[in-house]
Amino acid sequence: MLLLFVGCVVLFAVKLILDWRRKRLKNYPPGPRGLPLIGNLLQVSRLIRETRFHWGVWRELAARYGPVVQVRLGLANPLLIVSGRDAVLDFLGRRDFDARPDTFEIRHRSFGKKRGIVLNDGPDWTEQKRFLLKVLKDFGFGKQSMEDLVLEDASMLCNILMDKMLDTTIDVHDFSEVTAIAVISSLWNLIAGRRCDPTEKESEMVEILRILKESFRNGSATGSLWQHIPFLRFIMPKYSGFADQQQRVSAMSNYFLDEVARHKQNKKQGESNDLIDKYLDEIASRNNNESSFDELQLVVLLKDLFSAGIETTSNTIGFAISYLAKYPDTQTKIQDELDHIIGSIGVPKLVYKNSLPHLNATIAEVLRLANVAPTTIAHRAVVDCSLLGYDVEKNWSVIGNLRSVHMDPDHWVDSEAFRPERFIDTRGKYVEDPWLMPFGSGRRKCIGENLARISLFLFLASLLQKFRFGLAPGETAPCLLGVNGFTVSPPHINIVITSRCHDKK
């Protein structure tokens, strides 16, 4: 035992000496000095407590050290935080940073190896992504039929509000959870061949949505405590969060494994009605051990689509409702547009999009201010390289601070204020701003961007056509920063929903 202890001390001392020598020879990015073993974990934890958000940590560090900051979180490789539009675009546009970190946490959620498309890289990722996009396109993803599916979901959500929530006070945070099952319904129809209807028995789906929400609330782009200090999952699994995460991963895996099993059991020869059917056909056609197509890969792919298809869209809708309740004049402008262009009984469609500048501008401003995804998912350097003149070693992790771009006061006049008109020109037309990049940039840009934009427009147009959203009594000046997590979720503020049909009589 003594010999083992001495050996560990010697190895640790050697590591410190080698790290020190490397720092003298290399031009590494600046960052806060950390402690042995835990690195900057204590400093990051303190800044999270002070600022209440992970993005607050990156803002403080960027202000102190510049556009590229190095932090060490436990025993993992250094993490770089890249801030500012030029630096973020440079980083996201480089193939040097196209990979994903290879960590136990990532492998743990995908049955022991890197799978899927969100947290994967290399030839398998390319093959899976190409297959996914082709199949979804064949089933109508991004086409007219997709618009029709989303409109059905928006109508379903409006009916739920009319039946259950009208003239009652509701927490916006809870409202976004109500929208989640409506948001995923159209995508789930392409994936599994059936729609989700919260008015029917969808207890399993509702439970998975709850678990997914917990995962996002308890996570961050930089990883978990047990990832930074791996031995914690063995000696204190509950305190480190590993036990809870293990339960969530198991529950989601079992749900999608059962879905795949149902498809295998019910699938008829020669019929392929959805993504799962097509994938099972692909597995059968390959029939070799070298293929990247197998049932575990399919389950992780379903997890990726399910997670990416819900969180940002439902949260953004919740934030939009929050801002419009707080700023009723903007809500009135949008509803006047809707009344004029579509009317009270017309169906909102994408063909009207260019005729609704205030709705488009409000969506853009909410995406800018809410920053539901304040950073990119972590990337990994695939080679030794440089970034803004600093040396970066292979396998270091890098995240892009998207919020720093969206809140840059040098570009956005009065950047902290809610001003949708910044996206409307002197002719009253909506204009896009290249500084707005809520879905990232480069080759790892969110593949669901088109569906997310369609959903945001059609859901909000449908909701605002039929309902008025106002602050509940007592909510005079609510804070709209939201709730911290891997993504930022809508704030806990109370609103009242009323039908607009009374206004038009």
Side-chain angles (χ1 to χ4, degrees), residues 92-154:
L92 292 177
R94 301 261 299 279
R95 291 187 180 273
D96 294 344
F97 302 104
D98 269 358
R100 294 296 192 203
D102 189 0
T103 66
F104 173 82
E105 185 173 24
I106 289 173
R107 289 173 176 262
H108 178 252
R109 76 179 284 273
S110 55
F111 307 101
K113 64 176 287 187
K114 293 175 73 174
R115 291 184 168 96
I117 57 169
V118 173
L119 299 175
N120 201 359
D121 53 53
D124 285 1
W125 170 72
T126 302
E127 188 175 40
Q128 295 295 317
K129 181 181 177 182
R130 185 180 296 119
F131 173 84
L132 172 67
L133 292 177
K134 181 182 184 304
V135 172
L136 289 180
K137 184 177 180 181
D138 290 343
F139 281 124
F141 188 78
K143 298 181 180 178
Q144 179 67 38
S145 56
M146 196 75 226
E147 177 184 2
D148 295 335
L149 289 173
V150 174
L151 278 171
E152 287 184 40
D153 299 334

Side-chain angles (χ1 to χ4, degrees), residues 206-218:
V206 171
E207 178 63 14
I208 291 301
L209 289 173
R210 183 192 64 78
I211 291 171
L212 181 65
K213 183 68 70 174
E214 284 183 1
S215 296
F216 278 107
R217 294 294 71 74
N218 290 283

Side-chain angles (χ1 to χ4, degrees), residues 221-460:
T222 58
S224 305
L225 180 61
W226 52 268
Q227 179 182 340
H228 305 317
I229 308 178
F231 60 79
L232 289 181
R233 70 177 187 266
F234 301 111
I235 62 175
M236 48 179 64
K238 185 69 176 177
Y239 174 77
S240 65
F242 178 69
D244 291 338
Q245 179 64 5
Q246 194 169 31
Q247 289 180 351
R248 289 190 287 264
V249 168
S250 295
M252 291 194 69
S253 296
N254 290 336
Y255 179 81
F256 293 114
L257 282 167
D258 289 345
E259 187 65 44
V260 172
R262 279 194 292 270
H263 271 69
K264 289 176 65 176
Q265 182 177 358
N266 299 328
K267 190 176 185 304
K268 296 179 180 179
Q269 186 70 27
E271 286 190 8
S272 296
N273 300 314
D274 51 53
L275 171 65
I276 296 178
D277 284 346
K278 284 283 191 182
Y279 202 101
L280 291 173
D281 288 343
E282 189 70 18
I283 293 174
S285 69
R286 303 250 174 165
N287 195 27
N288 65 77
N289 294 329
E290 301 300 321
S291 171
S292 69
F293 288 80
D294 57 41
E295 289 183 21
L296 294 184
Q297 183 81 260
L298 171 57
V299 169
V300 178
L301 188 65
L302 297 178
K303 284 186 183 181
D304 288 346
L305 290 171
F306 196 83
S307 303
I310 293 176
E311 184 68 8
T312 54
T313 302
S314 60
N315 281 355
T316 303
I317 291 172
F319 268 107
I321 297 304
S322 301
Y323 276 102
L324 292 173
K326 185 174 181 179
Y327 299 96
D329 289 347
T330 299
Q331 186 174 176
T332 298
K333 289 179 182 178
I334 297 173
Q335 289 172 333
D336 287 346
E337 275 186 346
L338 290 167
D339 293 346
H340 178 66
I341 300 298
I342 302 174
S344 59
I345 59 173
V347 178
K349 288 183 175 291
L350 294 177
V351 69
Y352 300 122
K353 195 171 189 296
N354 291 336
S355 301
L356 299 167
H358 284 94
L359 176 56
N360 290 315
T362 298
I363 292 172
E365 182 71 340
V366 169
L367 288 169
R368 184 189 74 84
L369 273 179
N371 287 289
V372 168
T375 68
T376 64
I377 297 173
H379 292 229
R380 174 174 60 87
V382 295
V383 294
D384 292 342
C385 56
S386 64
L387 183 61
L388 265 64
Y390 294 112
D391 294 320
V392 178
E393 292 193 7
K394 181 181 179 180
N395 292 328
W396 282 14
S397 295
V398 191
I399 59 175
N401 183 357
L402 300 179
R403 194 177 193 279
S404 70
V405 182
H406 296 159
M407 303 302 290
D408 189 334
D410 292 333
H411 177 76
W412 307 98
V413 177
D414 204 6
S415 62
E416 301 284 341
F418 178 70
R419 290 182 53 199
E421 60 270 20
R422 71 175 80 243
F423 293 97
I424 297 178
D425 64 16
T426 54
R427 299 172 299 163
K429 301 292 185 182
Y430 168 72
V431 288
E432 295 183 353
D433 191 311
W435 280 63
L436 185 63
M437 53 178 76
F439 301 96
S441 181
R443 283 166 294 278
R444 299 305 303 238
K445 189 178 184 180
C446 175
I447 64 171
E449 177 181 0
N450 188 46
L451 176 59
R453 291 190 182 278
I454 290 172
S455 298
L456 286 173
F457 177 81
L458 294 178
F459 268 92
L460 287 171

